[in-house]
Amino acid sequence: MSSALDTLRRDFGGDIIEPGAAGYERAARTVLVAGRPAFVLRPKSAGDVAAGVSFAASSGLVVSVRGGGHSFAGFGTSDGGVVLDLGQLADVAVIGQERHVVRIGGGATWGPVADVLAGHGLAISSGDTRSVGVGGLTLGGGIGWKVRKYGLALDSVIAAEVVTASGGIVRASAQQNPELWWALRGGGGNFGVVTAFEFVAHPATQVFFGTIAFPPAQAAGVLAGWADYLRTAPEDLTSTVEFANPFAGGPDAPVAAHVAFDGDDARAAAAAIGPIRALGTVIADDVTLTPYPDTLAAGVTPPPGIQLVTRSGFADRESVPEVLRILAEAGASQRPPAISVRSVSGAVSRVPGDATAYPHRQAELMFVTTIAGPGPAVEGARPALDALWARLAPHTSGAYANFLTSATEQDIAAIYPARTYQRLAAVKRHYDPGNLFTRNHNVRPG
Ligand SMILES: Cc1cc2nc3c(=O)[nH]c(=O)nc-3n(C[C@H](O)[C@H](O)[C@H](O)COP(=O)(O)OP(=O)(O)OC[C@H]3O[C@@H](n4cnc5c(N)ncnc54)[C@H](O)[C@@H]3O)c2cc1C
């Protein structure tokens, strides 16, 4: 270990933070999860990342790669391992003005990216939160406010620069290392450290954005009508419904339909959003024309000791009515989880199922349940949550890796159907045969 550490100190140009050092406590934890890693390495270049990966490989310690640090499973830290915190690899540069090609550092977060791109009249559909990382969100999917129009965040990626387990730096694109290129888009952090992504951005428009709220008693009808409407709604419109939020009254919380209409044409927006307003008794409506960067919410770090359990699933067209019925019932129960349902069809479903390692292309909806609180409260709520998911199980197809606290074999089988998994395992064998990168929804070398 000591010679590996000497080599690291010689080759690594970034910061090496060890327990006891100033800033360690902050560096050790992610946004959602505490940890006590032996080393937090903050690389400043791809070469530093390569030195960090080589150190981690020779030290035998568990490696965590941290982009924005928002993994629900806490993959961005560990107890006793090495964290590669990419936060200083956050440059955003337009490198191809004509085709809107943008290079973004693997440790960037979406808020600053949206701000910089807006200055160039560009945007990328990412997620809903400023502090979420480009790395984790993109490698797992990326369901954002323009998902029905432009697809997942990973659908806009055209290349990536990757430090692999051997410490080599490779480029992955349709032309170079195409199997790695396929695997990165959906396969998470399994294949190496992405030091930079190249995206094709979209022209930035303002967005009619806001929330239309309905009484909780109307949840079942609003949800059913919303899903029916989204099936044929203009793809400029993306929408999410949230209900049973424990911080807004649990079963008494309003049903909040968030809408994002991409474009500043007020009449077109009103026509597209109108059918959602007509779904029930509107008790609040704050939809206004908003610059795209302002649609992204500031992230929140939960207070110490608060745990989260987040689970996700997809619903295909035929399962939608039953899934929504079960979720509406759960939302009205005594201590429900927070429930959110996102529309994911449109442009997502037009990409062929095997074009990327994200396999859930035919789903109409992605839904998420979250319970949060001190450990004993979370454990107390778990049996009801398990019972809810047992009811949902016959109607769900798969899980969204980016909204999962757990990483069991069952979760991995839900994220990756057998064919996808086998292909990923072959790529893993090539690029990470020793399974150095395990702090993710892990694919074992085939
Ligand atoms: C408040 C909040 C809001 C969210 N909103 C959305 C949303 O609207 N849409 C959506 O789709 N998802 C959303 N998510 C889920 C989010 O996509 C995942 O939590 C994602 O993993 C976060 O990425 P990160 O880089 O911040 O996380 P990290 O914890 O840093 O990383 C997560 C995983 O990705 C890997 N990874 C990260 N960066 C790299 C890299 N550069 N190279 C290789 N591997 C890397 C890590 O090793 C780890 O396995 C949200 C999460 C939170 C907490």
PDB file of all heavy atoms in Angstrom, residues 243-264:
ATOM      1  N   PHE A 243     -48.033  12.884  -5.547  1.00  0.00           N
ATOM      2  CA  PHE A 243     -49.107  12.941  -4.544  1.00  0.00           C
ATOM      3  C   PHE A 243     -48.656  12.193  -3.294  1.00  0.00           C
ATOM      4  O   PHE A 243     -47.623  11.534  -3.284  1.00  0.00           O
ATOM      5  CB  PHE A 243     -50.429  12.397  -5.105  1.00  0.00           C
ATOM      6  CG  PHE A 243     -50.378  10.997  -5.625  1.00  0.00           C
ATOM      7  CD1 PHE A 243     -50.967   9.959  -4.921  1.00  0.00           C
ATOM      8  CD2 PHE A 243     -49.769  10.700  -6.830  1.00  0.00           C
ATOM      9  CE1 PHE A 243     -50.932   8.655  -5.401  1.00  0.00           C
ATOM     10  CE2 PHE A 243     -49.717   9.407  -7.323  1.00  0.00           C
ATOM     11  CZ  PHE A 243     -50.299   8.387  -6.609  1.00  0.00           C
ATOM     12  N   ALA A 244     -49.464  12.371  -2.241  1.00  0.00           N
ATOM     13  CA  ALA A 244     -49.211  11.733  -0.944  1.00  0.00           C
ATOM     14  C   ALA A 244     -47.888  12.171  -0.329  1.00  0.00           C
ATOM     15  O   ALA A 244     -47.320  11.457   0.495  1.00  0.00           O
ATOM     16  CB  ALA A 244     -49.248  10.201  -1.077  1.00  0.00           C
ATOM     17  N   ASN A 245     -47.379  13.321  -0.723  1.00  0.00           N
ATOM     18  CA  ASN A 245     -46.118  13.819  -0.175  1.00  0.00           C
ATOM     19  C   ASN A 245     -46.245  14.008   1.339  1.00  0.00           C
ATOM     20  O   ASN A 245     -47.044  14.823   1.805  1.00  0.00           O
ATOM     21  CB  ASN A 245     -45.790  15.156  -0.860  1.00  0.00           C
ATOM     22  CG  ASN A 245     -44.523  15.782  -0.330  1.00  0.00           C
ATOM     23  OD1 ASN A 245     -43.947  15.299   0.654  1.00  0.00           O
ATOM     24  ND2 ASN A 245     -44.090  16.838  -0.973  1.00  0.00           N
ATOM     25  N   PRO A 246     -45.481  13.267   2.146  1.00  0.00           N
ATOM     26  CA  PRO A 246     -45.634  13.363   3.604  1.00  0.00           C
ATOM     27  C   PRO A 246     -45.349  14.759   4.143  1.00  0.00           C
ATOM     28  O   PRO A 246     -45.865  15.142   5.198  1.00  0.00           O
ATOM     29  CB  PRO A 246     -44.629  12.344   4.153  1.00  0.00           C
ATOM     30  CG  PRO A 246     -43.799  11.911   3.014  1.00  0.00           C
ATOM     31  CD  PRO A 246     -44.451  12.314   1.734  1.00  0.00           C
ATOM     32  N   PHE A 247     -44.519  15.539   3.420  1.00  0.00           N
ATOM     33  CA  PHE A 247     -44.215  16.895   3.895  1.00  0.00           C
ATOM     34  C   PHE A 247     -45.312  17.891   3.521  1.00  0.00           C
ATOM     35  O   PHE A 247     -45.255  19.054   3.876  1.00  0.00           O
ATOM     36  CB  PHE A 247     -42.855  17.356   3.351  1.00  0.00           C
ATOM     37  CG  PHE A 247     -41.742  16.434   3.754  1.00  0.00           C
ATOM     38  CD1 PHE A 247     -41.168  15.565   2.840  1.00  0.00           C
ATOM     39  CD2 PHE A 247     -41.301  16.398   5.071  1.00  0.00           C
ATOM     40  CE1 PHE A 247     -40.165  14.693   3.230  1.00  0.00           C
ATOM     41  CE2 PHE A 247     -40.294  15.519   5.463  1.00  0.00           C
ATOM     42  CZ  PHE A 247     -39.723  14.665   4.541  1.00  0.00           C
ATOM     43  N   ALA A 248     -46.322  17.433   2.776  1.00  0.00           N
ATOM     44  CA  ALA A 248     -47.433  18.325   2.404  1.00  0.00           C
ATOM     45  C   ALA A 248     -48.767  17.747   2.878  1.00  0.00           C
ATOM     46  O   ALA A 248     -49.818  18.116   2.360  1.00  0.00           O
ATOM     47  CB  ALA A 248     -47.444  18.534   0.891  1.00  0.00           C
ATOM     48  N   GLY A 249     -48.698  16.788   3.839  1.00  0.00           N
ATOM     49  CA  GLY A 249     -49.949  16.280   4.400  1.00  0.00           C
ATOM     50  C   GLY A 249     -50.207  14.807   4.136  1.00  0.00           C
ATOM     51  O   GLY A 249     -51.271  14.291   4.488  1.00  0.00           O
ATOM     52  N   GLY A 250     -49.287  14.098   3.508  1.00  0.00           N
ATOM     53  CA  GLY A 250     -49.473  12.665   3.261  1.00  0.00           C
ATOM     54  C   GLY A 250     -50.739  12.419   2.455  1.00  0.00           C
ATOM     55  O   GLY A 250     -50.892  12.956   1.358  1.00  0.00           O
ATOM     56  N   PRO A 251     -51.689  11.639   3.010  1.00  0.00           N
ATOM     57  CA  PRO A 251     -52.920  11.355   2.239  1.00  0.00           C
ATOM     58  C   PRO A 251     -53.731  12.618   1.954  1.00  0.00           C
ATOM     59  O   PRO A 251     -54.573  12.620   1.047  1.00  0.00           O
ATOM     60  CB  PRO A 251     -53.694  10.387   3.147  1.00  0.00           C
ATOM     61  CG  PRO A 251     -53.064  10.488   4.497  1.00  0.00           C
ATOM     62  CD  PRO A 251     -51.653  10.960   4.307  1.00  0.00           C
ATOM     63  N   ASP A 252     -53.480  13.694   2.722  1.00  0.00           N
ATOM     64  CA  ASP A 252     -54.219  14.954   2.493  1.00  0.00           C
ATOM     65  C   ASP A 252     -53.464  15.925   1.589  1.00  0.00           C
ATOM     66  O   ASP A 252     -53.912  17.064   1.363  1.00  0.00           O
ATOM     67  CB  ASP A 252     -54.507  15.639   3.838  1.00  0.00           C
ATOM     68  CG  ASP A 252     -55.342  14.748   4.737  1.00  0.00           C
ATOM     69  OD1 ASP A 252     -56.244  14.072   4.201  1.00  0.00           O
ATOM     70  OD2 ASP A 252     -55.068  14.690   5.957  1.00  0.00           O
ATOM     71  N   ALA A 253     -52.335  15.506   1.096  1.00  0.00           N
ATOM     72  CA  ALA A 253     -51.559  16.392   0.204  1.00  0.00           C
ATOM     73  C   ALA A 253     -52.276  16.521  -1.131  1.00  0.00           C
ATOM     74  O   ALA A 253     -52.882  15.565  -1.619  1.00  0.00           O
ATOM     75  CB  ALA A 253     -50.164  15.812  -0.023  1.00  0.00           C
ATOM     76  N   PRO A 254     -52.219  17.698  -1.748  1.00  0.00           N
ATOM     77  CA  PRO A 254     -52.830  17.838  -3.066  1.00  0.00           C
ATOM     78  C   PRO A 254     -52.158  16.936  -4.099  1.00  0.00           C
ATOM     79  O   PRO A 254     -51.019  16.523  -3.910  1.00  0.00           O
ATOM     80  CB  PRO A 254     -52.591  19.310  -3.436  1.00  0.00           C
ATOM     81  CG  PRO A 254     -51.882  19.931  -2.301  1.00  0.00           C
ATOM     82  CD  PRO A 254     -51.555  18.901  -1.285  1.00  0.00           C
ATOM     83  N   VAL A 255     -52.888  16.660  -5.155  1.00  0.00           N
ATOM     84  CA  VAL A 255     -52.311  15.932  -6.291  1.00  0.00           C
ATOM     85  C   VAL A 255     -51.695  16.993  -7.195  1.00  0.00           C
ATOM     86  O   VAL A 255     -52.408  17.853  -7.720  1.00  0.00           O
ATOM     87  CB  VAL A 255     -53.410  15.151  -7.054  1.00  0.00           C
ATOM     88  CG1 VAL A 255     -52.811  14.427  -8.252  1.00  0.00           C
ATOM     89  CG2 VAL A 255     -54.096  14.173  -6.107  1.00  0.00           C
ATOM     90  N   ALA A 256     -50.373  16.940  -7.349  1.00  0.00           N
ATOM     91  CA  ALA A 256     -49.668  18.012  -8.066  1.00  0.00           C
ATOM     92  C   ALA A 256     -49.247  17.517  -9.446  1.00  0.00           C
ATOM     93  O   ALA A 256     -48.391  16.639  -9.555  1.00  0.00           O
ATOM     94  CB  ALA A 256     -48.444  18.431  -7.258  1.00  0.00           C
ATOM     95  N   ALA A 257     -49.871  18.066 -10.485  1.00  0.00           N
ATOM     96  CA  ALA A 257     -49.457  17.728 -11.856  1.00  0.00           C
ATOM     97  C   ALA A 257     -48.480  18.809 -12.309  1.00  0.00           C
ATOM     98  O   ALA A 257     -48.865  19.963 -12.513  1.00  0.00           O
ATOM     99  CB  ALA A 257     -50.665  17.675 -12.778  1.00  0.00           C
ATOM    100  N   HIS A 258     -47.198  18.429 -12.408  1.00  0.00           N
ATOM    101  CA  HIS A 258     -46.186  19.372 -12.891  1.00  0.00           C
ATOM    102  C   HIS A 258     -46.166  19.285 -14.414  1.00  0.00           C
ATOM    103  O   HIS A 258     -46.164  18.184 -14.969  1.00  0.00           O
ATOM    104  CB  HIS A 258     -44.804  19.018 -12.349  1.00  0.00           C
ATOM    105  CG  HIS A 258     -44.768  18.870 -10.860  1.00  0.00           C
ATOM    106  ND1 HIS A 258     -45.020  19.917 -10.005  1.00  0.00           N
ATOM    107  CD2 HIS A 258     -44.557  17.797 -10.074  1.00  0.00           C
ATOM    108  CE1 HIS A 258     -44.927  19.502  -8.754  1.00  0.00           C
ATOM    109  NE2 HIS A 258     -44.660  18.210  -8.773  1.00  0.00           N
ATOM    110  N   VAL A 259     -46.140  20.437 -15.057  1.00  0.00           N
ATOM    111  CA  VAL A 259     -46.121  20.428 -16.527  1.00  0.00           C
ATOM    112  C   VAL A 259     -44.953  21.266 -17.028  1.00  0.00           C
ATOM    113  O   VAL A 259     -44.566  22.264 -16.414  1.00  0.00           O
ATOM    114  CB  VAL A 259     -47.442  20.967 -17.129  1.00  0.00           C
ATOM    115  CG1 VAL A 259     -48.605  20.058 -16.777  1.00  0.00           C
ATOM    116  CG2 VAL A 259     -47.724  22.399 -16.682  1.00  0.00           C
ATOM    117  N   ALA A 260     -44.379  20.841 -18.140  1.00  0.00           N
ATOM    118  CA  ALA A 260     -43.327  21.615 -18.814  1.00  0.00           C
ATOM    119  C   ALA A 260     -43.653  21.571 -20.307  1.00  0.00           C
ATOM    120  O   ALA A 260     -43.580  20.505 -20.921  1.00  0.00           O
ATOM    121  CB  ALA A 260     -41.963  20.993 -18.537  1.00  0.00           C
ATOM    122  N   PHE A 261     -44.040  22.718 -20.850  1.00  0.00           N
ATOM    123  CA  PHE A 261     -44.312  22.806 -22.288  1.00  0.00           C
ATOM    124  C   PHE A 261     -43.149  23.539 -22.921  1.00  0.00           C
ATOM    125  O   PHE A 261     -42.852  24.694 -22.586  1.00  0.00           O
ATOM    126  CB  PHE A 261     -45.632  23.555 -22.556  1.00  0.00           C
ATOM    127  CG  PHE A 261     -45.915  23.701 -24.022  1.00  0.00           C
ATOM    128  CD1 PHE A 261     -46.599  22.714 -24.718  1.00  0.00           C
ATOM    129  CD2 PHE A 261     -45.475  24.827 -24.719  1.00  0.00           C
ATOM    130  CE1 PHE A 261     -46.841  22.840 -26.084  1.00  0.00           C
ATOM    131  CE2 PHE A 261     -45.711  24.964 -26.074  1.00  0.00           C
ATOM    132  CZ  PHE A 261     -46.397  23.974 -26.768  1.00  0.00           C
ATOM    133  N   ASP A 262     -42.470  22.874 -23.845  1.00  0.00           N
ATOM    134  CA  ASP A 262     -41.228  23.414 -24.409  1.00  0.00           C
ATOM    135  C   ASP A 262     -41.559  24.397 -25.527  1.00  0.00           C
ATOM    136  O   ASP A 262     -41.909  24.001 -26.632  1.00  0.00           O
ATOM    137  CB  ASP A 262     -40.401  22.245 -24.957  1.00  0.00           C
ATOM    138  CG  ASP A 262     -38.985  22.672 -25.291  1.00  0.00           C
ATOM    139  OD1 ASP A 262     -38.391  23.413 -24.508  1.00  0.00           O
ATOM    140  OD2 ASP A 262     -38.489  22.267 -26.362  1.00  0.00           O
ATOM    141  N   GLY A 263     -41.448  25.691 -25.238  1.00  0.00           N
ATOM    142  CA  GLY A 263     -41.732  26.694 -26.265  1.00  0.00           C
ATOM    143  C   GLY A 263     -42.487  27.866 -25.663  1.00  0.00           C
ATOM    144  O   GLY A 263     -43.133  27.729 -24.621  1.00  0.00           O
ATOM    145  N   ASP A 264     -42.391  29.028 -26.336  1.00  0.00           N
ATOM    146  CA  ASP A 264     -43.006  30.222 -25.750  1.00  0.00           C
ATOM    147  C   ASP A 264     -44.306  30.626 -26.450  1.00  0.00           C
ATOM    148  O   ASP A 264     -44.789  31.748 -26.289  1.00  0.00           O
ATOM    149  CB  ASP A 264     -42.005  31.380 -25.732  1.00  0.00           C
ATOM    150  CG  ASP A 264     -41.459  31.664 -27.132  1.00  0.00           C
ATOM    151  OD1 ASP A 264     -41.999  31.082 -28.104  1.00  0.00           O
ATOM    152  OD2 ASP A 264     -40.490  32.441 -27.235  1.00  0.00           O
TER     153      ASP A 264
END
